[in-house]
Amino acid sequence: MSFSSEVKEELAGHVSSSRHCQLAELAAIICFLGKAEQDGGEGISLGLQTENETVLRKCFTLLKKTFNIDTDDSWMLHEEKKGHTYVVLTKDSSEVDKILQAIKIEKTDSVKKAGETGVNPLLIKNACCKRAFLRGAFLCIGSMSDPEKSYHLEFVCTHQESAEQIKKLIQGFEVDAKIVARKKYHVVYLKEGTGIVDLLNLMGAYVSLMNFENYRIVKEVRNSVNRKVNCETANITKTVNASSKQIEDILLIRERYGFQNLPDNLKETAEIRLEYPDATLKELGQILNPTVGKSGMNHRLRRLSEIADRLRN
């Protein structure tokens, strides 16, 4: 099971105790996946255009709690002409009217329109209802990548108005969210680990949040170790290259000029560098008696380099 599926499974098991929050989440599900259609004569059925059992299970739970509608007998699947799986929630017209009125869709033929423009703002006035709506929206149109590979969470909307509504709700909790057009869709996305953690917390995916944080910690420790190793490697490479250049200069001086012609301090420095080619400047200075600081050793070796350059010229 993917990490995204694990998040949805957890969210499906999270049911708000307040009816207004249950309605907000139910509104999100019907808004993004719902469809009302004529059933034979004048009857109207309400269903979901999905084959995701996690979403269906959550929708049936919410219908049972909010309207005491037992949908077990109406779990009927049939393929539509366009190949989409359609699940009937209820064929009772009075129940359909009751549901749509509660989620503030006045006409049964306006379910599609609600999916285009988003839910009625009156349903999500409270912060708790906004969290419930985001939970339902993620169940229907949300997904996220494996945090071990990358940080990315998104809501894929078919209409810009609904994408703007989701973005505004997320930003209302001081979480940064952006919209990008992807083919014919409008995608609300988060790419920062901190923002994803905050959103998982808002939606109530606490176990997934902890798992995500564990991935983040491991990833950050690994990156920190890699940075330190790379930095240390760069320092070692720099030290080796500098030492090689210094030894090359000193050998040239010994061959063409002779150590006996050098001042005592430079002669001592040249000899000790040849004896300890891998030592750092600090280590070389500590070997001398009396000891010399790092800057002092660097000054002496720079003078030797200048003498070598004059000899080359």
Side-chain angles (χ1 to χ4, degrees):
M1 182 182 293
S2 67
F3 191 85
S4 186
S5 298
E6 292 176 5
V7 175
K8 291 187 177 184
E9 280 293 333
E10 183 178 2
L11 293 179
H14 184 118
V15 181
S16 301
S17 57
S18 302
R19 187 172 187 272
H20 50 83
C21 292
Q22 295 169 3
L23 287 174
E25 188 168 358
L26 182 62
I29 295 174
I30 294 177
C31 173
F32 293 114
L33 299 178
K35 184 176 181 181
E37 60 181 8
Q38 294 292 330
D39 185 22
E42 296 182 357
I44 298 174
S45 67
L46 179 66
L48 298 183
Q49 193 166 289
T50 182
E51 52 188 23
N52 189 324
E53 293 188 8
T54 301
V55 178
L56 293 171
R57 187 168 64 249
K58 185 59 175 289
C59 186
F60 292 155
T61 300
L62 293 172
L63 287 174
K64 178 70 175 178
K65 287 185 173 295
T66 53
F67 301 102
N68 199 28
I69 296 176
D70 191 350
T71 55
D72 292 340
D73 295 332
S74 59
W75 190 320
M76 297 179 291
L77 301 176
H78 69 268
E79 293 294 325
E80 290 188 322
K81 293 181 180 180
K82 294 183 179 180
H84 297 296
T85 301
Y86 179 72
V87 182
V88 177
L89 298 177
T90 178
K91 290 185 176 182
D92 188 324
S93 296
S94 62
E95 289 182 346
V96 174
D97 290 340
K98 187 191 303 182
I99 294 169
L100 296 181
Q101 184 178 3
I103 61 176
K104 305 199 181 303
I105 297 178
E106 295 182 1
K107 297 180 181 179
T108 55
D109 60 354
S110 299
V111 175
K112 182 178 180 181
K113 183 178 179 182
E116 296 175 0
T117 59
V119 300
N120 192 313
L122 295 176
L123 276 173
I124 49 177
K125 292 190 300 182
N126 303 325
C128 56
C129 296
K130 292 175 182 177
R131 291 194 291 267
F133 173 79
L134 290 172
R135 182 163 55 246
F138 187 83
L139 279 171
C140 298
I141 58 173
S143 65
M144 66 180 296
S145 60
D146 185 345
E148 194 170 7
K149 298 177 181 178
S150 63
Y151 301 151
H152 185 87
L153 184 149
E154 66 180 28
F155 298 81
V156 181
C157 304
T158 54
H159 298 88
Q160 185 174 358
E161 290 82 356
S162 54
E164 292 288 352
Q165 185 178 50
I166 291 176
K167 174 187 172 183
K168 184 178 179 180
L169 288 175
I170 295 174
Q171 290 181 337
F173 291 102
E174 297 184 353
V175 178
D176 187 31
K178 299 178 181 178
I179 296 179
V180 64
R182 185 187 299 161
K183 295 183 179 179
K184 61 180 181 179
Y185 299 103
H186 301 272
V187 181
V188 183
Y189 69 94
L190 292 79
K191 295 187 74 69
E192 294 293 333
T194 303
I196 294 175
V197 166
D198 290 341
L199 185 58
L200 290 175
N201 181 51
L202 289 170
M203 295 189 298
Y206 306 119
V207 175
S208 298
L209 184 155
M210 295 304 297
N211 292 335
F212 184 87
E213 284 287 49
N214 288 337
Y215 281 118
R216 284 184 74 197
I217 291 170
V218 171
K219 196 171 185 179
E220 288 175 4
V221 169
R222 185 187 298 123
N223 290 340
S224 177
V225 170
N226 287 339
R227 282 194 299 269
K228 290 180 179 178
V229 169
N230 291 338
C231 183
E232 190 66 27
T233 300
N235 288 336
I236 291 173
T237 301
K238 184 179 179 181
T239 300
V240 170
N241 291 339
S243 177
S244 298
K245 176 64 167 57
Q246 292 161 5
I247 291 173
E248 180 183 339
D249 291 341
I250 291 169
L251 290 175
L252 179 66
I253 292 171
R254 186 176 66 178
E255 178 183 347
R256 296 191 184 180
Y257 189 67
F259 284 173
Q260 68 276 9
N261 296 317
L262 292 173
D264 291 341
N265 61 339
L266 296 186
K267 177 184 176 183
E268 184 182 32
T269 300
E271 291 174 341
I272 201 169
R273 169 47 90 192
L274 292 180
E275 186 177 354
Y276 300 97
D278 297 328
T280 64
L281 296 183
K282 183 178 180 180
E283 292 170 343
L284 287 176
Q286 291 174 343
I287 294 171
L288 294 174
N289 188 17
T291 59
V292 178
K294 182 178 177 181
S295 60
M297 288 301 299
N298 185 55
H299 176 71
R300 291 185 183 187
L301 289 167
R302 190 164 59 247
R303 287 182 60 190
L304 288 171
S305 177
E306 292 171 355
I307 293 172
D309 288 340
R310 287 199 298 269
L311 290 174
R312 288 189 183 94
N313 294 333

